[in-house]
Amino acid sequence: MFGLKLFKSNIADILPAVRGKYAYNVSLAKYTWFGVGGPAEVLYRPADTEDLSYFLKNKPHNLPVCIIGGGSNLLVRDGGVPGVVVRLDSAYFRKISFGENTITCGAGVKNVELKKIMLEKQIGGLEFLCSIPGVIGGSVKTNAGCFGSSVKDVIKEAEIINGQGDVKTVPVEDLMLSYRSSFFPDDWIILSITFRTTKDTAENIKQKLDEQKTYRMKNQPYNQKTAGSTFKNPEGLKAWELIKKSGCADLQIGGAKVSEKHSNFLINTGKATAADIETLGETIIKKVQEQTSVTLEWEIKRMGINK
C-alpha cells in the first residue's frame, strides 16, 4: 500500500512543526458525501494562512500533498491517500467579509451557509451557489454551477497559495474558467474567494432559494449518499440521457447503484466500497461509448490508491 505502510513515528519525524494539527491514519469516509474511502496517511488542519505557508515551504520536497473540501464531489479510493491531506476547516478559513457589492468568503465556508447571510444582508446573485453541496473553496476549480449560472458569472478574484507557500490574488480572467473546468495548477490551494453581489429583497432571494430546493428534491436524490453529478455533460448533450439511452439506468455493482431519480447520480446504498462506485462509473462510460460513440468524462474528483 505504498506510503500508507509508513509508521506514524516515521512520517511524524519529517513533518514541519506547525501551529495547526496533524492527525495520522484518519479515515476519509466520514469527510465525503459518498461515505466511502480509506485513510489519509496524515490529515493536516492549518491554523491560518501563515501556518499553511510555513508547512509548504518546509515540508520534504517529495512529500505528496493534496486538499479536500466539503467532500461533496469526491471519491476517495479504498486504499486511502498517501502523504498529507490538507483540510481548511479552522475558524480562520471560515471568515466572511463584505465590500462594495462584494462578499469575500474563506475557503472553508459551506455553500449552504450563504443562505442566511444573503437573506440578512439582502444581497443576491449567489442563490445557485447555495444549493451546491460542499464548501466555497471547492467551487472554483470545477467552475461549479447549476440553474443556468456558474462561479464564472459571479467571481471577482481568488486568493490562492501555491506549492511553494507563496500567497497571491488571482483575478477571474486569469483562472480561465469554462464548463466544469479552469486553469488551476494542481499545487494551488484556494484560501478565499471574492464574489460580486447585487442588491435584492429578502423576499426575492427566499423565493429563488425555495424554488431551487423544490426542484432538487423533486428531480435529484435527496438525503442519500451521493456525490452529485457523476459525469460532465458532453457539448450539446445531456449525460443522464446518454446513460438512460445506453441501458444503464438500472445498473448496480455491489452496494453502488444508479439513482432512480436521476441517472447521472450514483448512490451508495449503504454497503458500497469506493471500488464499487468507481467500477460502476467506468462500466457506464464503457456502455455509453459502445452504444453512442460518446465518451463521458468524470465530473467527480477521484483520489487515492486502490486497496
Side-chain angles (χ1 to χ4, degrees):
M1 284 173 54
F2 182 42
L4 296 190
K5 287 185 176 178
L6 285 172
F7 292 103
K8 172 181 171 180
S9 57
N10 288 348
I11 195 165
D13 290 342
I14 64 173
L15 295 174
V18 295
R19 289 178 290 108
K21 297 178 180 179
Y22 293 128
Y24 301 87
N25 198 36
V26 178
S27 171
L28 294 177
K30 61 183 178 181
Y31 295 114
T32 71
W33 285 52
F34 267 136
V36 300
E41 190 171 11
V42 180
L43 184 65
Y44 167 45
R45 292 183 165 98
D48 49 33
T49 298
E50 184 180 353
D51 189 48
L52 177 57
S53 177
Y54 179 84
F55 167 80
L56 292 170
K57 289 178 184 292
N58 291 277
K59 71 174 182 64
H61 177 71
N62 62 347
L63 180 68
V65 175
C66 65
I67 185 164
I68 61 170
S72 60
N73 191 41
L74 179 65
L75 178 61
V76 176
R77 295 186 175 104
D78 299 307
V81 182
V84 177
V85 175
V86 179
R87 184 171 165 86
L88 305 182
D89 58 0
S90 71
Y92 178 90
F93 294 106
R94 299 198 305 270
K95 294 179 181 177
I96 295 174
S97 60
F98 303 90
E100 186 67 29
N101 295 321
T102 63
I103 180 173
T104 299
C105 302
V109 173
K110 294 180 180 178
N111 293 350
V112 70
E113 292 173 355
L114 290 176
K115 292 182 179 180
K116 183 179 179 181
I117 295 167
M118 292 175 67
L119 290 169
E120 286 180 352
K121 300 289 185 179
Q122 297 192 43
I123 54 176
L126 305 180
E127 291 87 355
F128 78 95
L129 196 56
C130 297
S131 68
I132 299 175
V135 295
I136 292 296
S139 65
V140 175
K141 190 169 185 179
T142 59
N143 187 27
C146 58
F147 300 111
S149 298
S150 67
V151 167
K152 179 182 179 180
D153 302 321
V154 293
I155 187 174
K156 180 182 178 183
E157 59 192 21
E159 183 185 33
I160 67 97
I161 187 168
N162 63 22
Q164 291 72 50
D166 301 318
V167 178
K168 61 180 178 178
T169 299
V170 183
V172 61
E173 52 268 23
D174 289 350
L175 294 171
M176 298 173 62
L177 300 177
S178 57
Y179 174 68
R180 300 297 179 267
S181 65
S182 62
F183 168 74
F184 205 96
D186 288 338
D187 69 343
W188 279 13
I189 295 174
I190 289 280
L191 300 173
S192 68
I193 302 174
T194 299
F195 297 105
R196 296 188 300 272
T197 60
T198 56
K199 290 289 183 183
D200 204 348
T201 65
E203 183 180 8
N204 284 343
I205 295 168
K206 186 176 185 303
Q207 181 180 347
K208 292 176 185 176
L209 292 171
D210 288 345
E211 288 174 351
Q212 292 177 4
K213 181 177 180 180
T214 299
Y215 176 87
R216 283 195 180 275
M217 291 182 68
K218 180 181 178 182
N219 297 286
Q220 298 175 1
Y222 193 74
N223 284 338
Q224 291 183 289
K225 294 181 178 181
T226 182
S229 296
T230 306
F231 304 106
K232 300 177 184 179
N233 287 324
E235 188 172 356
L237 300 169
K238 298 290 186 183
W240 72 267
E241 290 181 339
L242 293 167
I243 293 169
K244 211 164 188 179
K245 180 180 178 181
S246 302
C248 300
D250 299 320
L251 278 183
Q252 180 164 350
I253 292 179
K257 63 178 289 187
V258 176
S259 168
E260 296 171 359
K261 269 194 172 183
H262 196 306
S263 55
N264 196 24
F265 284 65
L266 303 186
I267 304 294
N268 173 7
T269 62
K271 297 181 179 180
T273 62
D276 289 341
I277 297 169
E278 188 166 17
T279 301
L280 177 57
E282 290 296 325
T283 301
I284 290 170
I285 290 173
K286 182 179 179 181
K287 285 183 175 292
V288 169
Q289 206 283 328
E290 289 173 349
Q291 294 294 320
T292 69
S293 297
V294 176
T295 302
L296 294 176
E297 293 182 41
W298 284 88
E299 183 171 330
I300 292 171
K301 181 180 179 180
R302 297 164 293 162
M303 68 164 56
I305 57 179
N306 293 317
K307 196 167 184 178

